[in-house]
Amino acid sequence: PGKGIIRNYCRNPDGHKTIWCYTTDPKKRWEECDPKPPKVCDERLKGKKDVGYRGCQTRTKTGRQCQKWLLQSPHKHKMARWKRPGKGIIR
């Protein structure tokens, strides 16, 4: 069911080894993320390969800003809601 792919939060919609996102850096397509300390969001890494993560991390391990899942710039991808219906991509 839905993968919680919203805004520019780190997620694991494709079964990668952990949470990740596309970056806003034109020279770096995607990068893995670390969850934030659990203050505001549920930052537990859940499910096989962390696919159930629903925290609010918006930066990669090296500090790059995550690209919004709905956008196709600077990096085009196949996680768009019209290509992946029912995956929770809403913004």
Side-chain angles (χ1 to χ4, degrees), residues 10 12 22-23 25 27 38 56 69 72 80-81 83:
C10 297
N12 189 2
Y22 294 105
T23 77
D25 181 343
K27 296 180 181 179
C56 55
W69 290 98
Q72 294 291 317
R81 72 175 158 201
K83 292 182 180 179

Side-chain angles (χ1 to χ4, degrees), residues 51-65:
V51 74
Y53 172 80
R54 293 295 181 266
C56 55
Q57 179 58 279
T58 60
R59 294 201 174 265
T60 67
K61 287 182 176 184
T62 63
R64 287 183 172 89
Q65 182 70 36

Side-chain angles (χ1 to χ4, degrees), residues 3-13 19-22 33 36 40-41 43 53-60 65-70 91:
K3 302 290 183 185
I5 303 173
I6 59 172
R7 297 187 179 102
N8 64 331
Y9 296 152
C10 297
R11 294 291 185 255
N12 189 2
I19 57 175
W20 62 276
C21 69
Y22 294 105
C33 304
K36 290 181 176 181
V40 178
C41 300
E43 291 291 324
Y53 172 80
R54 293 295 181 266
C56 55
Q57 179 58 279
T58 60
R59 294 201 174 265
T60 67
Q65 182 70 36
C66 293
Q67 172 181 310
K68 290 183 179 183
W69 290 98
L70 185 59
R91 294 183 211 166

